[in-house]
Amino acid sequence: MLGLVFGAFLVAMVLGLPMAVAMGLATFIPQAVNSSFPGNMNYIVQGLIGGLNTTPILAIPLFMLSGALMTRGGISKKLFDIFAYIAGKKTAGVPCAVVVTCLFYGAISGSGPATAAAVGAMCIPILVELGYDKVFSAAIVATAGGLGVIIPPSIPFIMYALFTQESVGDMFTAGIIPGCLIAATIMFYCWFYCKRHGEDKAKIAENYARLKKRGFIRVFIDGFWAVLTPVIILGGIYGGYVTPTEAACVSVFYALIVCLFIYRTISIKDVPQLLKDAIASYAPICFLIGLATGFGRILTLLRAGDVVQGFLASFIDNRVAFFIFLNVLLLILGMFMDVGAAVVILAPILLPVAKGFGIDGIHLGIVMVTNLAVGFVTPPFGMNLFVAAPLGETNVATLGKKALPFIACFIVALLMITFIPQISMCLL
């Protein structure tokens, strides 16, 4: 029966059906084949409703709404100006400023594609204007946009915590240093590329002169409220003042106050449309989480965890081999599956196996999300490639090739995060 369920799921995916539909079909197969199977319709519906009837899940739409408000409010430009001023005329200073902007913006949006869209729409034209190759500029944004799901608050971290009963706050804390490490490896390649291919120093100096004319104090004050956003969100969580869900609510009100009354980049009449957009973005995730809960309950009845654990035990006998298998599996799946979908399906199955090898659940979550974030820039379905390609006026295939060195840097950081647990766990 288990083989039939997974077979139906894989066939649905190959046919290109939405992930939620694929899970839904697989969930109902046991009952259709065997009417006496305990996972009947009532059982599935109870699982679907139960998966959505939890307070932490509210953090997802709230963080998505906060990110939408900040995107419409032009926060990314104010962040970029601060980092570009600090980078000055140094080699690869402006590309590195783009990476750092993605890092900070990821702490606002919690989404990879949202980070790539917001930062790319603003930064790619600036990079091109300063003489950088257009495809290279788009590749920076596409890759660095993946930081949006690693730097807290991360929506996949919340989904992982929901399905494994791990702490959302611990996941957020554990993601800080891995996110910074990945950003550092991407910036290293930016420096190497600019050293090898050169830069238009005259245009860069002219741009820096414009920023310097404004003065650092003025640039910083202009971007102060943008920089303060992740400080308030993460500081509130780590300081024990608010839960992650409460922090998400705070972030929405903070975004409204900043964008409406301080920067005045949105108006009251824009808010209803932003609410509709946030609901439209969250609805598929909500549907996915509900169905994934029902699917997970069916897999539990079919003892999928025991089957997978027995299968892995036949050729894996230590944590190093497990991590190698896990990373290869996720790198392949990440080319075809969304991060959230892969997390909600695989995390409950893999966690017991990982704990059998003495692997902490938080560390497993960081490795899984970091690995799947590579999928944002790997063909054929890398979401960030589709977001950044039009902004760079190129096609997805060309952008994917240009992003290969960045992907290699990402994977180097992934291997360090995988086999050096302290990178993720030292702040806990």
Side-chain angles (χ1 to χ4, degrees):
M1 183 73 76
L2 184 61
L4 183 62
V5 169
F6 276 118
F9 178 71
L10 292 174
V11 168
M13 285 183 57
V14 170
L15 292 176
L17 296 177
M19 186 61 61
V21 175
M23 280 194 295
L25 290 173
T27 300
F28 291 109
I29 278 181
Q31 176 66 19
V33 173
N34 181 6
S35 59
S36 62
F37 183 72
N40 56 26
M41 181 66 72
N42 288 338
Y43 182 84
I44 294 171
V45 171
Q46 287 175 2
L48 191 152
I49 296 173
L52 300 175
N53 186 24
T54 174
T55 301
I57 202 174
L58 293 174
I60 298 177
L62 291 173
F63 277 129
M64 293 179 76
L65 176 58
S66 173
L69 289 166
M70 291 292 186
T71 299
R72 182 70 67 87
I75 298 300
S76 57
K77 177 66 169 67
K78 300 180 186 299
L79 289 171
F80 175 75
D81 284 347
I82 294 176
F83 304 132
Y85 189 103
I86 295 171
K89 298 178 285 185
K90 299 179 180 67
T91 300
V94 179
C96 288
V98 174
V99 176
V100 178
T101 302
C102 288
L103 188 73
F104 269 73
Y105 198 84
I108 295 172
S109 70
S111 165
T115 299
V119 178
M122 182 273 300
C123 288
I124 292 176
I126 294 176
L127 288 171
V128 173
E129 183 182 336
L130 295 178
Y132 294 97
D133 177 73
K134 190 175 291 186
V135 183
F136 169 72
S137 303
I140 295 173
V141 171
T143 311
L147 295 169
V149 298
I150 301 169
I151 287 293
S154 160
I155 291 173
F157 281 174
I158 298 172
M159 296 173 74
Y160 176 87
L162 285 173
F163 279 83
T164 60
Q165 306 304 309
E166 297 289 347
S167 165
V168 176
D170 285 349
M171 287 297 299
F172 283 0
T173 302
I176 295 175
I177 293 181
C180 293
L181 174 62
I182 295 166
T185 61
I186 295 172
M187 287 190 284
F188 171 78
Y189 178 71
C190 289
W191 175 85
F192 174 80
Y193 180 93
C194 292
K195 272 287 188 182
R196 184 176 180 182
H197 295 275
E199 298 175 284
D200 192 328
K201 294 294 186 181
K203 289 183 178 179
I204 294 170
E206 183 181 347
N207 180 69
Y208 178 65
R210 285 197 298 267
L211 284 173
K212 194 171 183 180
K213 189 175 181 180
R214 291 172 59 190
F216 179 73
I217 298 299
R218 185 174 176 183
V219 170
F220 181 77
I221 290 175
D222 193 35
F224 172 76
W225 299 104
V227 173
L228 196 60
T229 305
V231 175
I232 289 176
I233 295 172
L234 303 181
I237 295 172
Y238 303 145
Y241 300 106
V242 292
T243 66
T245 305
E246 291 167 345
C249 187
V250 170
S251 73
V252 171
F253 282 98
Y254 180 79
L256 281 170
I257 292 169
V258 170
C259 295
L260 281 173
F261 305 113
I262 298 177
Y263 290 145
R264 298 182 180 180
T265 45
I266 64 173
S267 63
I268 294 292
K269 65 180 182 181
D270 295 325
V271 174
Q273 185 59 47
L274 287 168
L275 290 171
K276 290 179 182 177
D277 292 343
I279 292 171
S281 298
Y282 173 62
I285 296 177
C286 181
F287 194 49
L288 176 67
I289 291 173
L291 283 172
T293 304
F295 186 47
R297 290 195 174 192
I298 295 298
L299 292 179
T300 300
L301 290 176
L302 294 173
R303 303 182 66 84
D306 294 339
V307 173
V308 171
Q309 190 166 3
F311 170 72
L312 294 179
S314 65
F315 63 93
I316 293 176
D317 59 359
N318 61 77
R319 59 187 295 159
V320 173
F322 172 78
F323 271 134
I324 292 173
F325 169 81
L326 176 69
N327 279 325
V328 171
L329 174 67
L330 294 180
L331 284 171
I332 295 172
L333 288 178
M335 298 179 184
F336 305 96
M337 292 179 69
D338 176 71
V339 178
V343 165
V344 299
I345 293 171
L346 296 176
I349 296 175
L350 293 174
L351 182 61
V353 181
K355 288 191 172 182
F357 290 115
I359 299 168
D360 188 271
I362 297 294
H363 183 212
L364 176 69
I366 298 299
V367 171
M368 287 188 67
V369 175
T370 301
N371 192 312
L372 291 165
V374 179
F376 281 127
V377 280
T378 51
F381 301 116
M383 184 62 71
N384 283 8
L385 294 179
F386 287 93
V387 171
L391 299 175
E393 297 179 359
T394 186
N395 58 63
V396 170
T398 302
L399 180 57
K401 291 178 183 177
K402 197 72 172 183
L404 286 176
F406 289 105
I407 295 172
C409 293
F410 214 119
I411 291 175
V412 168
L414 168 64
L415 292 175
M416 294 174 65
I417 293 164
T418 299
F419 294 108
I420 308 175
Q422 291 79 6
I423 292 175
S424 302
M425 308 299 290
C426 64
L427 296 181
L428 297 178

